[in-house]
Amino acid sequence: MLRRRQTPIPPIQKLSKSSSSLPSSSKTRRPLLFLKPTVSSPDGEWKPLLNMGISELSLPLTFPTGQTFTWKQTASTQFTGVLNSHLLSLRQLQDGSISYLLHRTCFSSPSLSKDEAFAMDSLKDFMNLQVSLGELWAEFSEADSRFAELAPHMSGARVLRQDPLECLFQFLCSSNNNIPRITQMVSYLSSLGPYLASVGGFKFHAFPSLERLSQVSEEELRKAGFGYRAGPSI
């Protein structure tokens, strides 16, 4: 920690040219100064998500609509969230297609490719990607004229398959509440889980286990703004 407060070290190239003038102790310690923890390594690459268009997945009609309060808008058309301890960002491009990015976290494998297959399985399940909205919308529109009128305005809106524990606690926070306050309460609960990484100014954590949540005192919940939910009646 103390090294981070020292005067910035010149680039490696400069050091190599003048290495003969450095004290022997500096030569010995220099490699350690450039060792970085896993979390600071580069993220993976942006990749297309199954060539999906906006008719099959609209991020603005899926995430900030009250279904989940753990996914955050980290850029103008980008949303970031945690699935099974994997930190993922989804981005809607101008042509309506979706790309995804698997972020490196404190728990990532040295090679992100080892995590990607599992993360993608989790994402496909979470987003219900096995369901064709185009076919479903056509079926609903044929059966209901009112739905047929509204369908063009809901194109790409998906129902999420969230983790049961996470979904349950978000539901408990939502009763007789408003979205900003629900978001604040859920963010507090999420912060009790293991820290993963930061994206777009937001800190992301894996959702805490039931055992960890059971250790939170009523006083802590009341200070966090849980009100009547903080009591044993929960």
Side-chain angles (χ1 to χ4, degrees), residues 165 169 188-194 205-217 220-221:
L165 179 65
F169 275 87
Y188 169 76
L189 293 180
S190 297
S191 70
L192 301 175
H205 300 74
F207 200 78
S209 65
L210 187 58
E211 179 182 8
R212 174 65 183 92
L213 291 169
S214 68
Q215 297 171 355
V216 184
S217 67
E220 289 174 309
L221 290 174

Side-chain angles (χ1 to χ4, degrees), residues 17-78:
K17 292 180 180 178
S18 56
S19 58
S20 59
S21 62
L22 291 173
S24 58
S25 59
S26 297
K27 292 180 183 178
T28 303
R29 295 171 56 189
R30 188 181 64 188
L32 297 178
L33 298 176
F34 296 96
L35 292 178
K36 297 181 179 180
T38 301
V39 70
S40 64
S41 300
D43 291 328
E45 298 178 353
W46 284 97
K47 298 180 180 180
L49 181 62
L50 301 178
N51 296 319
M52 299 187 69
I54 196 168
S55 62
E56 286 295 325
L57 176 57
S58 170
L59 300 184
L61 292 181
T62 299
F63 285 119
T65 55
Q67 285 195 76
T68 177
F69 299 93
T70 57
W71 281 69
K72 308 295 184 182
Q73 186 169 1
T74 50
S76 59
T77 60
Q78 177 178 312

Side-chain angles (χ1 to χ4, degrees), residues 27 44 59 71 75 81 84 93 103 106 113 130 137-138 147-149 163 171 174 177 185 202 205 208 218:
K27 292 180 183 178
L59 300 184
W71 281 69
N84 293 322
L93 306 180
H103 296 275
C106 301
S113 59
Q130 73 279 7
W137 262 218
F147 185 90
E149 295 178 11
D163 174 80
F171 175 75
S174 68
N177 213 342
M185 294 164 66
F202 294 97
H205 300 74
E218 179 178 343

Side-chain angles (χ1 to χ4, degrees), residues 145-221:
S145 59
R146 179 57 176 162
F147 185 90
E149 295 178 11
L150 297 176
H153 305 286
M154 302 184 297
S155 181
R158 285 188 169 270
V159 177
L160 303 173
R161 287 170 51 88
Q162 301 183 66
D163 174 80
L165 179 65
E166 184 176 333
C167 186
L168 172 61
F169 275 87
Q170 290 185 84
F171 175 75
L172 292 174
C173 293
S174 68
S175 178
N176 191 28
N177 213 342
N178 56 69
I179 287 181
R181 188 160 176 259
I182 298 170
T183 301
Q184 177 183 344
M185 294 164 66
V186 173
S187 294
Y188 169 76
L189 293 180
S190 297
S191 70
L192 301 175
Y195 171 76
L196 298 178
S198 296
V199 180
F202 294 97
K203 294 182 178 180
F204 289 90
H205 300 74
F207 200 78
S209 65
L210 187 58
E211 179 182 8
R212 174 65 183 92
L213 291 169
S214 68
Q215 297 171 355
V216 184
S217 67
E218 179 178 343
E219 181 181 0
E220 289 174 309
L221 290 174

